[in-house]
Amino acid sequence: MKKITLIGFVLFLCLQLNAQDYVPAASNLKQRAWFADAKFGLFIHWGPFSIPGSGEWVMNERKLNVHNYTNLKDFFNPVEFNAQQWVSMAKNAGMKYITLITRHHDGFSMWDTKYSDFNIMNTPYKKDIVKMMADECHKQGIQLYLYYSLLDWHREDYPHETGRTGQNSGRTGKGDYASYLQFMKNQLTELLSNYGEIGGIWFDGHWDQTEPEGAKDRTSRIDWKYNEIYSLIHKLQPQCMIGNNHHLTPFAGEDFQMFERDLPGENKSGLSFQKASDKLPLETCETISNSWGYNLSDTYYKTEKELVNMLVKAASLGSNLLLNIGPMPSGKIQPEFQDRLSAMGAWLKIYGESIYNTRAGFIKPQEWGSISQTDNKIYIHILDNKTNTLSLADVPVKKIKKAYLLKDGTPVSYTFKKAKLTINTSTNATDPDHVIVLDVLN
């Protein structure tokens, strides 16, 4: 017995070492750099869960069993879905990539998969959503990232008996992770073999097998065997980035770190206790309304100013913003979402220089606003519409060549002495962000 235990421990150690030895390919590092410069993406939560109009967690929250929930596939017929319009909308909003739900916690697959009958081809629609989106993204020059849930409320072989959620699904058997792992590998192989180049895989659901966020010990109750999953992805498409929404410090083999409903370093949602990585690209995902999936009762929508502030603060922390929409079951996108995305696009046409290809500012966001920067420019974002004069100490440049409004090039008065900057920041209260550019010499 001791011998078997020792052998098992050695094998486990070897697997851990293999994972820790992950060296990203040159194409992966290039993709990371592109991602870090892109700054703005569209998240799309959509599937049969949209039909009840109660968000993407409806199966769990209404305690629906597998048999009854599966009936939704017979009603999912998104005749108004138009991939060209969706991708164009994202592009016109100034977004550089789209992260599409391919399979959420309800277990429904949005593509023509051979490994599950619970998929888009067995609905009245009978068309491969992932293929249409992939083809259109490639055509319009938008990168496609794919969301894939590790958690499944539908399958019997998922280790449901140890999960935090899905306990009212009616499953009575015992999970079989070896079987479930092979199922995920098969599906991921399909996604990374049949839809062209994919920018990244966005995993979710790890937290189902841990104590709640904030607990002292959040060790997973199961061994997900990420070394096998991640190695497969990097083998199939070396450039493909891997992120995992586990709300923990990034694991070995992951290529970017995401924060759910929080900017890096904040924890307003109670989900983000982890520190922001100083080595990996960062991403914040947030909603326009209060919901991820289509929700009839959610009538709150963030204003243009709130969304601009969120994008600016994310960029000022060196993070992307992945902004979510939850389309209607028909495939139509709510006008409230369309209007706000259009407004973001109009703003970025003027101020995009202060967002794209920038890095975190030399100070973190303040009450007055925040800073983003490049090698030779510093962008001061006045977000409070109140600050008329700003003083900054320890500005890390040798010289400021000039200061001007990004909007129209109007010169801005300032003094700069002994690394202290005092600058006139009089604002137009109607603008969501008042951006001053400093041309600097380092």
Side-chain angles (χ1 to χ4, degrees):
M1 193 68 172
K2 291 182 179 179
K3 183 177 181 181
I4 294 174
T5 302
L6 179 60
I7 292 173
F9 174 76
V10 171
L11 287 173
F12 172 77
L13 184 60
C14 288
L15 289 174
Q16 291 300 107
L17 289 173
N18 287 336
Q20 292 169 3
D21 287 343
Y22 165 60
V23 177
S27 59
N28 187 281
L29 294 175
K30 183 178 179 181
Q31 181 67 19
R32 292 186 190 186
W34 178 90
F35 182 79
D37 287 341
K39 288 296 186 289
F40 196 26
L42 179 68
F43 210 178
I44 303 176
H45 273 70
W46 188 51
F49 56 71
S50 306
I51 296 171
S54 294
E56 74 292 346
W57 273 60
V58 62
M59 181 180 179
N60 185 74
E61 290 176 348
R62 290 194 184 178
K63 301 180 180 180
L64 303 174
N65 63 38
V66 169
H67 174 74
N68 290 341
Y69 186 84
T70 301
N71 289 333
L72 283 179
K73 71 177 174 56
D74 297 327
F75 297 90
F76 192 50
N77 189 20
V79 294
E80 294 190 60
F81 167 67
N82 187 312
Q84 187 275 329
Q85 291 179 1
W86 283 24
V87 177
S88 294
M89 179 189 66
K91 192 171 185 177
N92 292 335
M95 292 160 159
K96 303 299 183 182
Y97 63 101
I98 291 174
T99 301
L100 175 70
I101 298 290
T102 64
R103 177 174 162 273
H104 207 264
H105 311 326
D106 64 353
F108 183 85
S109 299
M110 295 286 278
W111 75 98
D112 185 6
T113 178
K114 297 177 182 178
Y115 300 100
S116 171
D117 292 333
F118 194 41
N119 73 71
I120 192 68
M121 305 308 288
N122 291 324
T123 68
Y125 192 64
K126 299 184 185 301
K127 297 177 186 177
D128 190 327
I129 297 291
V130 175
K131 178 171 174 50
M132 288 188 281
M133 285 296 292
D135 289 349
E136 195 59 42
C137 281
H138 295 144
K139 180 179 178 181
Q140 294 197 37
I142 295 290
Q143 292 244 6
L144 181 63
Y145 284 63
L146 302 178
Y147 170 110
Y148 187 88
S149 177
L150 297 159
L151 158 63
D152 196 301
W153 295 326
H154 193 269
R155 290 181 63 91
E156 191 75 35
D157 56 359
Y158 174 76
H160 51 86
E161 64 274 18
T162 56
R164 269 202 267 162
T165 63
Q167 295 303 315
N168 297 287
S169 61
R171 293 172 292 182
T172 57
K174 184 176 174 59
D176 179 354
Y177 188 67
S179 170
Y180 185 70
L181 175 63
Q182 188 58 54
F183 159 73
M184 290 198 294
K185 287 181 180 179
N186 290 339
Q187 285 210 317
L188 289 165
T189 298
E190 286 180 327
L191 290 171
L192 292 170
S193 300
N194 301 332
Y195 299 95
E197 184 171 302
I198 301 301
I201 299 293
W202 208 103
F203 285 118
D204 195 12
H206 172 99
W207 36 260
D208 187 56
Q209 297 290 338
T210 72
E211 290 299 306
E213 287 77 1
K216 185 176 181 179
D217 184 1
R218 294 198 60 229
T219 303
S220 177
R221 300 182 187 109
I222 65 172
D223 177 6
W224 294 93
K225 298 190 182 296
Y226 286 132
N227 57 304
E228 297 182 27
I229 297 172
Y230 293 178
S231 295
L232 172 67
I233 293 169
H234 288 136
K235 180 180 179 181
L236 290 169
Q237 293 203 26
Q239 89 294 333
C240 184
M241 299 169 64
I242 295 172
N244 195 325
N245 189 37
H246 41 52
H247 308 147
L248 293 162
T249 300
F251 300 160
E254 295 173 4
D255 303 298
F256 69 105
Q257 180 184 17
M258 68 270 286
F259 293 81
E260 183 176 353
R261 291 191 181 275
D262 278 309
L263 293 170
E266 294 184 355
N267 188 21
K268 295 178 181 178
S269 69
L271 298 173
S272 302
F273 293 85
Q274 72 275 25
K275 292 182 179 179
S277 172
D278 58 359
K279 297 179 180 178
L280 299 179
L282 308 176
E283 180 185 72
T284 287
C285 60
E286 248 296 4
T287 56
I288 293 177
S289 61
N290 282 326
S291 306
W292 297 103
Y294 181 60
N295 193 328
L296 281 168
S297 63
D298 185 357
T299 56
Y300 169 79
Y301 302 96
K302 295 176 179 66
T303 65
E304 176 190 351
K305 180 172 178 57
E306 288 175 313
L307 294 174
V308 167
N309 285 10
M310 194 186 304
L311 176 62
V312 168
K313 288 181 179 179
S316 298
L317 290 165
S319 173
N320 291 10
L321 174 63
L322 183 64
L323 189 59
N324 180 77
I325 61 170
M328 298 178 181
S330 65
K332 181 180 179 180
I333 295 173
Q334 291 174 245
E336 293 88 350
F337 293 155
Q338 294 188 49
D339 292 346
R340 282 158 179 77
L341 292 180
S342 178
M344 294 294 283
W347 185 85
L348 281 163
K349 284 181 180 177
I350 300 171
Y351 296 103
E353 175 191 320
S354 69
I355 302 296
Y356 305 122
N357 307 307
T358 62
R359 64 178 186 271
F362 65 88
I363 59 173
K364 292 188 175 182
Q366 307 290 312
E367 289 186 8
W368 52 263
S370 59
I371 288 175
S372 58
Q373 60 190 82
T374 63
D375 288 341
N376 55 13
K377 292 181 186 292
I378 292 176
Y379 300 94
I380 301 175
H381 301 265
I382 305 298
L383 300 173
D384 67 354
N385 289 334
K386 298 176 182 177
T387 300
N388 294 317
T389 302
L390 183 66
S391 293
L392 297 173
D394 301 320
V395 180
V397 299
K398 293 179 180 178
K399 180 181 179 181
I400 297 176
K401 298 178 181 179
K402 61 178 179 177
Y404 56 94
L405 297 181
L406 179 55
K407 183 176 183 178
D408 55 18
T410 300
V412 174
S413 61
Y414 69 94
T415 60
F416 183 60
K417 187 176 182 180
K418 294 183 179 180
K420 182 178 180 180
L421 169 69
T422 301
I423 190 165
N424 173 28
T425 58
S426 298
T427 64
N428 180 345
T430 62
D431 291 340
D433 181 14
H434 186 71
V435 185
I436 299 171
V437 186
L438 306 180
D439 283 354
V440 302
L441 179 66
N442 293 304

